[in-house]
Structure formats: structure tokens, C-alpha cells
Amino acid sequence: MTGQFSLLQVPKVEFGAGSLKKLSLYLGEGRVLFVLGRTISRNPGVVSILKSLEETGRSIETAIISGEPGVSVIDEISSRFYGQGIGCVVGIGGGSVLDTAKALSVMLHHKERREDPALSVKAFLEGVGSETAPPGRLPLALIPSTAGTGSETTKNAVISQVGPDGFKKSLRHDTYLPDVAIIDPSLHLDLPLEQTAASALDALTQLMESYVSVKSTIFTDSLLLPAIHSTGKALDALLDTGELDNLAFRSDLSYGAFISGIGLAHAGLTYVHGLSGPMGAVHHIPHGVACALLIAKINRAMVESAGSQPEGQRYLSKMSAIAQGWGVRGPQGAVRFLEELEKKARLKRVRDYGFTDEQLIELSHLNCKRNSPVTIPRGRLEEILLSL
Ligand SMILES: [Fe+2]
């Protein structure tokens, strides 16, 4: 039976190799603030776009970002450009850079409106801020340089503060969805293996979590299953061949990341993101690495626990449908495929980022199930976390 569902807004999207060239069609008035990742700022395609804009008389400012978006970074950059006539923001980079650009488009707009250069983004963050995030931002274009978070199609920016009082919270409002997402896989050809694998495993996790979610619908299923198949196969082939500059693989991974943003906005996520978010607030572990190290283990535990639970059969049949597209058999085959991907990606381990047994046990006590169709016993979660 076709059940109820709501269809949310997605931004205008330009997808495909060479689509970066369309950026000038979408720029608003005034000075343009380019928020760039360090590596992508040297990409010949990006350098040439900036140069051609300057040649046509556009006034351009740039902010180079490294690491995940923190409160202090966003406050510092938005204060620096306060009163400078910034008319629109363009983010080009990984998920962290895109989230930073999104937050800057919000903060520059509201600092100017309130004439308050000291206004902090922390005031608007869910769960820690004193105010509800207000509507409105500067015109915003987002251009991912990795195929991971799908931030280019979501209405929130994840902002963190690392340390004893650390948090990882969202700046969220329907109006924060960008005006345009330009997804150009040819920008990803230089991305190193580790970042490629971690980003792709984040996207694959988001696709799978929203596909099995209790909030999934006929609409999300129809988008997510083919994207899970193509993303899994493209990553597997890329890791086997080492062909980082293969545009066909890059295009499939970009499409998967794009669809994963739509999937999580409509159907939500489950355990892996319930844990990887809080992990990022404890130590500087890249989000994609945390997801990559958890996805196979969490799904193995869900397959083991599914049999006796009300939504268990539905979860197992969805895992079988995933397995079929990957050319393996049944839920166990799908889990083994994920284990192989993790092994081939050769990422650093969770302990390499400084996690202690105590911190990992504490994480197992969190309410991290979110929209999972299957409950994993707490003892089993603790075992998984200690094995990372
Ligand atoms: Fe994610």
C-alpha cells in the first residue's frame, strides 16, 4: 500500500562534469564571498572561475577553511566581513566547508540586520542556543568537492565545539537550503584515496540508514535503493582499481552523496549517525571516518538482532534487496560487502584519534537509535565501540 509521505523542497540542482561553469548564472548582487577548502582553492577549474569573475568586474573575497566548522571560526569570519557589502556566499569544498558557508550566509545576513557584529552563531544552535534560528540568509550557492555529506541539499549546518563542554549541533531552518547546488564530479578527480573512501562511506551510510529507517516511504525507497547499488559498486571498483581519476566512478559517488542528502532529510538516520555525531564532539575524528568504521559492525549487529523484533523482517528484506544489487546474497552478504569496503579503504582506527575505553563505554549509553527499525542491545553496542 502506498502510505503517507511529505515531499520537502530541494534546491535548484546542476549536476554533471563541467557544471561549475554555470556558477555565474546564479550569483546575486554585491561582493561575492567564496568559502573554500584549502585543496580545492588551488584546483585549476576553481582558480579560472574566480579569475573570470574578477575580469568581468565582480568584487570577490575569499575565506579558506580547514577542519570541521566550529563556533569560533564562524564568529571570526562573519565579524571580519561585517559591513563589507557581501551580497552572496559561494561554498566550494567538503561537507565541513559547505556547512561553514551555509552558516556564514546566515550570520552575515542577521548581523547586518541587527547591526550586531558580535552576534554568535551559538545563539541559534539547536539545544545550546538562546534563540530559535531565524529565517533568512544571503543568497547561497554550494559546490561539493567531495562526495559525502550531501550538505548541498539540506537545510542545516552542523557546527561543533570540541572539548570537555563539546557539542555538535545543527543550525537549522527551512530557508537555509541553498539557492543552487552545483555538483560537478570533475572537481573530485584529485581527491586522495583516504578522503574519497571516508566521504563515500559516509554517503553510503546515509543512503542505507534512510532506506531502512522507520520513516522511509515509497518515495524515498525509489530514490535510495538504486543509489545504494551504484554507490556501493562504484566505491568497490574504485578501491579495487585505484583509479581515482575515473570520471564514471566519481559521477556515481557524487550522485549517491546528492541522493543521500535528500534521503536523510526525508527519512532520517539511525545508529551510525547517532554515534558518529557525538564521537566528533569528543575528539577530532573526521565524520566520514567514524561512519566508515561503524557501518559494517552496526549492520552485523542489526542483522543478528532483527529476527525477534517487529520491524525486523522488513529490515532483513531491505538488506536482501541491497545485496541483490551488489551481486551478493542476503543480509549476511550485504554485511560482508560492507566489511570488505571498510578493509579495502584502510582508514585509521578510532583509537588513533585518542578515544579511551571509558569514552567509548560512555558513548554506548547514549540514546543513539534514532529511526532504526531494529534495537541493538546496549551490551552489544558497548562491544562494538570497544572493538573500534
Ligand atoms: Fe553523515
Side-chain angles (χ1 to χ4, degrees), residues 217-373:
T217 66
I218 188 170
F219 169 73
T220 55
D221 285 359
S222 68
L223 282 175
L224 292 165
L225 187 59
I228 292 169
H229 290 158
S230 55
T231 302
K233 284 194 289 192
L235 178 60
D236 189 45
L238 186 147
L239 292 172
D240 279 345
T241 61
E243 289 174 18
L244 292 171
D245 58 353
N246 182 315
L247 188 59
F249 297 158
R250 294 294 187 178
S251 298
D252 283 351
L253 296 179
S254 291
Y255 179 73
F258 160 55
I259 296 297
S260 81
I262 299 176
L264 73 90
H266 284 82
L269 296 166
T270 73
Y271 278 105
V272 177
H273 279 79
L275 289 166
S276 59
M279 284 169 82
V282 179
H283 289 289
H284 282 289
I285 183 168
H287 171 70
V289 173
C291 292
L293 298 175
L294 281 163
I295 181 172
K297 291 186 169 68
I298 288 291
N299 275 285
R300 178 161 296 290
M302 284 170 68
V303 168
E304 285 164 10
S305 312
S308 55
Q309 300 187 28
E311 292 279 336
Q313 285 312 314
R314 197 166 146 267
Y315 166 72
L316 292 174
S317 67
K318 284 196 159 183
M319 286 295 278
S320 292
I322 289 173
Q324 207 175 10
W326 287 344
V328 293
R329 286 191 64 180
Q332 296 284 357
V335 171
R336 276 195 296 275
F337 188 90
L338 292 171
E339 285 169 347
E340 281 300 307
L341 287 181
E342 187 210 312
K343 211 184 295 169
K344 290 181 201 173
R346 290 190 304 229
L347 297 167
K348 285 209 277 185
R349 314 310 298 169
V350 162
R351 308 278 180 166
D352 297 331
Y353 295 93
F355 284 88
T356 62
D357 280 1
E358 213 174 35
Q359 287 169 332
L360 292 166
I361 292 168
E362 205 172 309
L363 284 163
S364 75
H365 287 273
L366 294 176
N367 182 12
C368 53
K369 183 181 170 186
R370 298 204 184 175
N371 303 292
S372 173

Side-chain angles (χ1 to χ4, degrees), residues 5 9 48 73 76 111 161 185 238 247 300 313 356:
F5 66 86
Q9 236 183 330
S48 120
V73 170
E76 187 274 311
K111 282 187 179 196
Q161 189 162 292
L238 186 147
L247 188 59
R300 178 161 296 290
Q313 285 312 314
T356 62

Side-chain angles (χ1 to χ4, degrees), residues 104-124:
L104 286 170
S105 73
V106 173
M107 294 313 294
L108 281 166
H109 177 74
H110 290 286
K111 282 187 179 196
E112 300 277 357
R113 285 190 71 176
R114 297 186 186 189
E115 298 181 357
D116 179 5
L119 183 65
S120 172
V121 67
K122 195 172 174 181
F124 300 151

